[in-house]
Amino acid sequence: MALTNWEVAQLLTRWMLYFGVSSVVGGLFAFNSLRHQPVLLLCIKGYIKVGVLVGSAATVAYFFILVGAAMEEGLWSMFDPEMVSIYWDSAAGSIVLVNLSGYVIVALALILLGQARSENAWPYSSLSLLVASFGIASLVYSFSLSGHSMSQAWYYQVIFFIHILIAAWWLGLLFPLWLAVRHATVEESNIVLENFGRLAVITVSILLLCGVWMSFELTGWQGLLSSDYGFWLMVKLGLVAVILAMAAYHKLHLVPLILDRGNTRVIQKSILTEKIVASSILAVTAVFTTFVGPPMH
């Protein structure tokens, strides 16, 4: 599949969009979960800020790249007033508004997030957590405004929302976990990873069930071996199988070794490797959502 410069730009910005959303979702959850470890909170807050900035920039850039790809008349064609107006009145414009609204809401929550409160064990106000939740909902909802999910029934939209939310939570939480393991004591690292492992068993199971159901709903599992969609689906499933195997290896082998060996160096490296695989999954997902549709469509 030969790609034009515009299509490469679409893929890169799409990947940045996914990075932004996953960083915000995973980072906010980590801020909540690790609230009793103040040394980590500033780093996690910075991680969320990077997600907000990258996601916001990618949202705007992706819109103008879509305009430029439609014009195909050079770089400055991205800003053609007539074509920009047409795209702004389409789903692409709605996605920009919903996405930027979500990031603005999260940014507002960050103003309060992490403020010290001596009378409360929580390092932020309950209002900031509520505001951040609305921001996350807006960001995740924006994915349903484009692609094959637009024409599906309401129950598909709900399952799609859950799928995106859990995926963003899981992939976005890997970096904060690495921070926790790197900076916390051996005992604290063991507790953090044990808690995450128990929660991941449930949430990732839901994630997989949602993904399997949606793929069947879209294709009936027909024509998968003879279509581009089927090829990229197999690639994505292969990467998911790899990251699941790594997660199981962490839970069953590396986490119990933390207390035995008295250090976390091995699992630090393994989590970073898992983050690389997660980035590859986001890249394949970008191909899915940008260029490939189900065989039945």
Side-chain angles (χ1 to χ4, degrees):
M1 183 172 61
L3 301 178
T4 66
N5 291 336
W6 288 114
E7 288 171 337
V8 171
Q10 287 181 57
L11 281 178
L12 289 175
T13 50
R14 195 79 182 179
W15 183 90
M16 291 168 63
L17 283 169
Y18 296 148
F19 170 82
V21 173
S22 61
S23 298
V24 167
V25 176
L28 286 170
F29 180 87
F31 200 98
N32 174 25
S33 301
L34 303 173
R35 61 187 180 273
H36 297 301
Q37 300 185 36
V39 68
L40 299 176
L41 297 185
L42 188 60
C43 293
I44 295 174
K45 192 173 181 180
Y47 174 60
I48 300 170
K49 288 179 180 178
V50 169
V52 170
L53 292 174
V54 171
S56 300
T59 296
V60 176
Y62 188 76
F63 174 82
F64 285 107
I65 288 170
L66 286 178
V67 175
M71 295 291 290
E72 295 185 337
E73 294 179 0
L75 189 63
W76 291 107
S77 64
M78 293 191 300
F79 307 108
D80 179 80
E82 183 177 352
M83 188 59 71
V84 167
S85 177
I86 293 173
Y87 267 79
W88 186 255
D89 292 331
S90 69
S94 300
I95 292 172
V96 172
L97 287 176
V98 174
N99 253 340
L100 291 183
S101 296
Y103 284 121
V104 168
I105 293 172
V106 171
L108 290 175
L110 285 176
I111 295 175
L112 294 175
L113 202 62
Q115 299 296 320
R117 284 173 168 74
S118 58
E119 77 280 0
N120 196 326
W122 296 70
Y124 50 78
S125 69
S126 56
L127 176 61
S128 67
L129 180 61
L130 179 63
V131 171
S133 299
F134 281 113
I136 289 174
S138 180
L139 293 174
V140 175
Y141 170 71
S142 69
F143 287 97
S144 66
L145 298 178
S146 64
H148 49 258
S149 64
M150 292 179 63
S151 58
Q152 301 301 313
W154 66 268
Y155 53 85
Y156 182 97
Q157 302 280 359
V158 172
I159 293 175
F160 182 69
F161 183 96
I162 295 172
H163 182 78
I164 296 296
L165 180 63
I166 295 177
W169 167 82
W170 183 23
L171 301 182
L173 195 55
L174 293 176
F175 180 71
L177 280 178
W178 176 79
L179 283 176
V181 171
R182 186 182 183 193
H183 294 289
T185 65
V186 170
E187 291 76 14
E188 289 172 337
S189 297
N190 184 73
I191 293 172
V192 168
L193 292 172
E194 286 282 3
N195 291 339
F196 171 72
R198 284 193 292 268
L199 184 58
V201 169
I202 300 172
T203 54
V204 174
S205 297
I206 297 173
L207 174 72
L208 294 175
L209 287 174
C210 290
V212 169
W213 181 84
M214 288 190 299
S215 68
F216 180 79
E217 188 74 8
L218 289 172
T219 67
W221 293 341
Q222 298 176 4
L224 292 181
L225 299 180
S226 58
S227 64
D228 289 340
Y229 179 88
F231 170 78
W232 287 105
L233 178 61
M234 293 301 110
V235 172
K236 183 176 181 179
L237 289 177
L239 290 171
V240 170
V242 170
I243 203 170
L244 284 174
M246 294 182 69
Y249 181 67
H250 291 168
K251 179 175 175 59
L252 300 176
H253 182 69
L254 293 185
V255 173
L257 283 180
I258 291 177
L259 294 178
D260 292 339
R261 294 185 176 180
N263 68 73
T264 60
R265 285 191 294 273
V266 174
I267 200 168
Q268 285 181 46
K269 295 177 181 178
S270 189
I271 291 175
L272 282 180
T273 304
E274 189 175 354
K275 183 64 176 175
I276 293 173
V277 178
S279 298
S280 301
I281 293 174
L282 294 182
V284 173
T285 304
V287 174
F288 258 118
T289 56
T290 309
F291 303 121
V292 181
M296 293 174 60
H297 282 224

